[in-house]
Amino acid sequence: MDETRYDFVVVGSGTGMLAALAAAEAGLSVLIVEKSRYFGGSTALSGGGFWIPNNTLLRQAGVVDSPDRVREYLRHVTAGETPESRWETHVVHGPAAVDVLRRRTPLRYQHMTDYADYFPELPGGSATGRAIEPKPFDVRRLGADRARLRPPAMAAPFPMPVSGRTYKWLNLVARKPRGIVTGAKLLGLGVGGLAIRREYVAGGGALAAGLFAGVRRSGIPVWFETPLKELIVEGGRVTGVVVTRDGADVTVRAGRGVLLSAGGFDRRADWRHKYQSEQLDTAWSLGNPENTGDAIEIAKAAGADLAFMEESWWFPAVPAPGPMPGPLLAERSLPGQIIVNQQGRRFMNEAVNYMTAGQIMIKEELPVWMVFDQRYRNRYVFGGGIFPRQTLPKAWYDAGIAHQAPTVAALAARTGLTNLPATLDRFNLLAAAGRDDDFQRGASAYDRYYGDPTITPNPCLGPIDRGPFYAVKVVPGDLGTCGGIRADGLGRALRPDGSVIDGLYATGNSAGNAFGRVYPGPGATIGQGLSFGYAAALHAAGKLPA
């Protein structure tokens, strides 16, 4: 068997690339091994924002914050689900991870202004927002490596680099002049860029491309189509990996450690049914199609404990035919729609953050249904790409995913949502008052971020009374699972008795969520991948104490 040596081996090419950059900067020789032919993983498919409070980019944007205020917020959000020493790393070392990102990649960044924390009313929460995202990036700067960037699951109908900050306004293209102006600018950047041989991408594609550009610039080798086969454990310490490359097993010795950052188990049906729910379908995931839990299973075989396997970064979606479901983000905050169970009753604040929404939905008999009227259809983008006034896809109707009827009574009869007429009568009464007494939709700054600012007094509430009426199936999709290897504040893998497995680190979706069962703010999944990757790399280099 062939054998080679590096100081530090990173398994996975999503946020693990930041760990590789930090380790190289600290003087270690680094190798990245990637299971697929693409780099980026679920990071490349994500929104690309990262929630790392109190970093230099936020301060430059004028955001006033403090570590103690962040601690207060996380203490209330996590509610003791994880030790404070676990998430403290994010508070203390997260800003330094952002500094590595700035030094070692060609990316530029912007504050996601007013994109509130997901629980902004809790002590320490922020309605101003603590998330940063990359600006659109020209991926042709990668040269031949451009073909290695994981392609988006849903191609835009036009070349438009849509960031998180601009997505909000594109959803209001039929309601606000700013939406039209935003769309025109993005179309100009996309089409105009191509005219001068530039290809701008935004979101997770930009973040992954920028990280990879940094990896190449730092001279870090990346082995593609090289899945992890096993960990080498000697004397209780992980000293390397066995990978499969070009059809042969290769031993890679790792003198300072191995970092597992290879995603979760999004596409592994037996684990999802065992740990989460028998109702789940892996086709509902918006995560990387390659994520089958390999790294988690191999770490468990080496003695690692697991944590929060019942959780995912839940994200409500339409179970549409195709490679990915139709995501529902702003759609749930906008006025003129509700989500009901199979009896036709509301059971949640539709506008609540997507992870909490999924946690609520999964307790119901699936699917649940989003109900809206023609006014809503005329006004807003739906399902991540169906424009205002555009008809819902025929394939949705053929598959029973969508139904349309001239009256509420007819829609209830067609779908079996028996209580829908009474539910809509009640909801329309609340909408007229501008106050959701049942589920408080629109009370939170987070709810209102994606609301319609032309609607007052509550931008999230509006009547459902203009036919025809629609019902569309909704399921708890996800951005990836967030249960995995139990790790400590330095990203070190832990055994069931709490002892450290020397030489083994786990970050990103390969590790159990550092925030327990919650999503503190936009980009917290990417954020913790960056911050814990940084901490693990510096610890492996001997630059952070245990």
Side-chain angles (χ1 to χ4, degrees):
M1 183 185 298
D2 291 342
E3 182 170 312
T4 188
R5 292 180 179 272
Y6 288 88
D7 293 326
F8 195 60
V9 174
V10 176
V11 181
S13 63
T15 56
M17 289 191 285
L18 187 280
L21 291 171
E25 188 177 69
L28 301 185
S29 61
V30 185
L31 171 68
I32 298 174
V33 295
E34 165 58 46
K35 172 183 177 180
S36 76
R37 58 182 291 204
Y38 299 113
F39 69 83
S42 289
T43 298
L45 301 176
S46 74
F50 49 89
W51 190 86
I52 299 179
N54 208 35
N55 67 66
T56 53
L57 292 167
L58 288 169
R59 290 196 294 272
Q60 289 174 4
V63 177
V64 179
D65 210 347
S66 74
D68 284 344
R69 184 169 171 80
V70 177
R71 289 186 183 99
E72 183 180 29
Y73 178 62
L74 287 176
R75 198 168 288 122
H76 281 85
V77 166
T78 59
E81 287 279 7
T82 57
E84 292 193 10
S85 60
R86 172 81 165 126
W87 52 255
E88 176 72 6
T89 294
H90 193 68
V91 179
V92 174
H93 298 297
V98 174
D99 290 340
V100 173
L101 197 63
R102 297 181 70 190
R103 287 194 301 270
R104 293 288 169 173
T105 76
L107 292 169
R108 297 168 61 230
Y109 308 90
Q110 59 193 14
H111 177 216
M112 298 172 74
T113 310
D114 296 329
Y115 199 172
D117 290 346
Y118 289 169
F119 305 90
E121 288 74 36
L122 288 179
S126 172
T128 301
R130 290 162 161 150
I132 292 287
E133 66 180 344
K135 291 183 176 181
F137 179 73
D138 176 16
V139 292
R140 291 196 178 176
R141 294 174 65 174
L142 298 176
D145 287 325
R146 165 65 184 93
R148 291 283 191 181
L149 173 62
R150 179 164 288 282
M154 295 180 293
F158 310 106
M160 297 172 66
V162 181
S163 65
R165 195 158 76 171
T166 54
Y167 167 81
K168 170 183 177 176
W169 296 106
L170 283 180
N171 274 283
L172 299 170
V173 68
R175 302 290 290 159
K176 294 281 287 184
R178 184 171 176 178
I180 298 172
V181 172
T182 298
K185 286 182 177 178
L186 292 176
L187 192 59
L189 183 61
V191 176
L194 292 176
I196 56 174
R197 299 183 183 278
R198 295 178 183 175
E199 182 187 358
Y200 288 102
V201 300
L207 180 60
L211 281 165
F212 193 79
V215 164
R216 286 300 199 211
R217 189 164 65 187
S218 297
I220 299 169
V222 182
W223 291 359
F224 287 99
E225 298 179 88
T226 304
L228 177 67
K229 185 174 181 180
E230 64 181 280
L231 295 168
I232 301 170
V233 184
E234 297 173 326
R237 176 181 174 82
V238 172
T239 60
V241 297
V242 176
V243 297
T244 303
R245 190 182 190 206
D246 296 330
D249 289 349
V250 178
T251 297
V252 183
R253 295 286 177 178
R256 295 296 186 92
V258 173
L259 172 66
L260 302 180
S261 187
F265 56 100
D266 323 356
R267 307 294 177 168
R268 182 159 176 175
D270 60 334
W271 277 18
R272 302 214 64 173
H273 293 162
K274 174 183 177 181
Y275 291 111
Q276 297 180 337
S277 171
E278 288 283 351
Q279 298 188 86
L280 290 174
D281 187 328
T282 58
W284 299 345
S285 180
L286 293 149
N288 180 4
E290 304 280 349
N291 287 351
T292 52
D294 309 359
I296 299 171
E297 185 171 34
I298 289 168
K300 186 174 185 296
D305 194 18
L306 305 182
F308 303 116
M309 295 290 283
E310 67 276 19
E311 289 295 349
S312 293
W313 304 111
W314 303 110
F315 201 103
V318 177
M324 291 281 182
L328 298 175
L329 179 55
E331 292 88 341
R332 297 179 295 105
S333 292
L334 291 164
Q337 53 76 30
I338 58 173
I339 294 176
V340 299
N341 61 20
Q342 293 195 13
Q343 289 73 50
R345 295 190 178 97
R346 284 183 79 204
F347 59 92
M348 64 181 291
N349 168 9
E350 293 85 354
V352 74
N353 73 81
Y354 38 87
M355 184 167 184
T356 301
Q359 289 170 333
I360 295 170
M361 285 181 184
I362 203 169
K363 295 176 183 177
E364 297 287 327
E365 184 179 355
L366 299 176
V368 296
W369 296 84
M370 178 177 277
V371 175
F372 49 90
D373 64 3
Q374 190 61 46
R375 181 193 290 113
Y376 178 89
R377 188 72 291 279
N378 290 346
R379 287 179 170 179
Y380 309 119
V381 176
F382 188 76
I386 302 172
F387 289 96
R389 298 184 181 274
Q390 185 179 354
T391 58
L392 298 181
K394 181 177 182 297
W396 290 18
Y397 291 109
D398 292 344
I401 293 169
H403 296 276
Q404 178 186 333
T407 66
V408 173
L411 185 66
R414 187 165 297 173
T415 57
L417 303 175
T418 310
N419 294 287
L420 184 60
T423 296
L424 282 182
D425 286 345
R426 169 68 178 171
F427 179 77
N428 287 341
L429 180 67
L430 300 176
R435 174 171 160 163
D436 180 7
D437 294 335
D438 294 342
F439 296 99
Q440 293 73 55
R441 183 163 125 198
S444 169
Y446 173 79
D447 295 3
R448 296 190 295 273
Y449 178 76
Y450 281 123
D452 184 340
T454 70
I455 303 297
T456 59
N458 189 328
C460 301
L461 293 182
I464 305 171
D465 59 7
R466 184 174 297 176
F469 299 88
Y470 300 83
V472 175
K473 286 183 178 180
V474 179
V475 296
D478 62 79
L479 304 175
T481 55
C482 62
I485 302 158
R486 188 182 300 277
D488 69 3
L490 294 170
R492 298 180 298 181
L494 301 176
R495 298 183 179 89
D497 64 4
S499 62
V500 171
I501 301 178
D502 288 333
L504 183 62
Y505 302 87
T507 61
N509 288 353
S510 290
N513 182 8
F515 308 120
R517 303 178 197 281
V518 295
Y519 207 137
T525 174
I526 298 295
Q528 68 174 286
L530 299 174
S531 62
F532 283 92
Y534 169 84
L538 262 67
H539 181 264
K543 297 184 181 295
L544 281 184

